[in-house]
Amino acid sequence: ADYPPEALDRLPTPPRRAWLPSWGHTTDFLDQRFAELKAYVHAVMAYDEMLRYRGLQELLGVIPPDMPSGVRVVMRGEEHELEVRPGADGGECSPIDEYHIEIIHLETGSRHAFSRDVGTT
């Protein structure tokens, strides 16, 4: 897996495996097993660094959003406004909650990075 070892060391202990054959599972056993696995997945998801890894995202069924199809800077009065055009329509993608933007001044090399929640001004 592509998980960093230090992140794996902080993971909670998974529930014990059941060695009963499937025909021996009772409804109570299955309910308890479901509750244990659900608690474990919630505990894993509490670690932000783990949520970034592709394997966990695939396991959870995460569909990544499309990249923005365009960006432009527009003069609005005395200020500049950055407009971000969403990705292509028509495909299946997850909603975009936030953009992470980095502006690099080409002459000086200075960088300014910020995040903007979608819907805020």
Side-chain angles (χ1 to χ4, degrees):
D2 56 351
Y3 305 111
E6 63 275 4
L8 291 175
D9 292 340
R10 290 193 303 269
L11 286 177
T13 304
R16 290 185 1 183
R17 295 182 115 185
W19 298 106
L20 292 173
S22 61
W23 54 265
H25 294 171
T26 65
T27 304
D28 290 340
F29 172 82
L30 294 174
D31 289 343
Q32 178 184 352
R33 184 72 178 154
F34 178 78
E36 290 171 351
L37 289 171
K38 183 177 178 181
Y40 178 71
V41 169
H42 282 274
V44 168
M45 291 174 50
Y47 294 96
D48 287 339
E49 66 267 19
M50 293 304 294
L51 293 177
R52 295 185 187 108
Y53 291 97
R54 184 178 315 153
L56 182 59
Q57 290 184 5
E58 288 173 1
L59 176 71
L60 296 172
V62 173
I63 301 169
D66 290 332
M67 296 292 290
S69 62
V71 202
R72 71 179 184 164
V73 177
V74 179
M75 189 72 167
R76 303 267 192 231
E78 297 291 319
E79 298 179 353
H80 292 85
E81 183 177 299
L82 181 65
E83 292 182 351
V84 180
R85 188 173 35 253
D89 291 334
E92 185 177 309
C93 64
S94 64
I96 298 171
D97 298 324
E98 175 179 64
Y99 286 111
H100 299 283
I101 300 167
E102 184 175 23
I103 299 171
I104 303 170
H105 192 285
L106 296 177
E107 293 176 4
T108 66
S110 64
R111 296 172 181 256
H112 178 70
F114 60 95
S115 296
R116 178 67 68 173
D117 288 336
V118 173
T120 62
T121 57

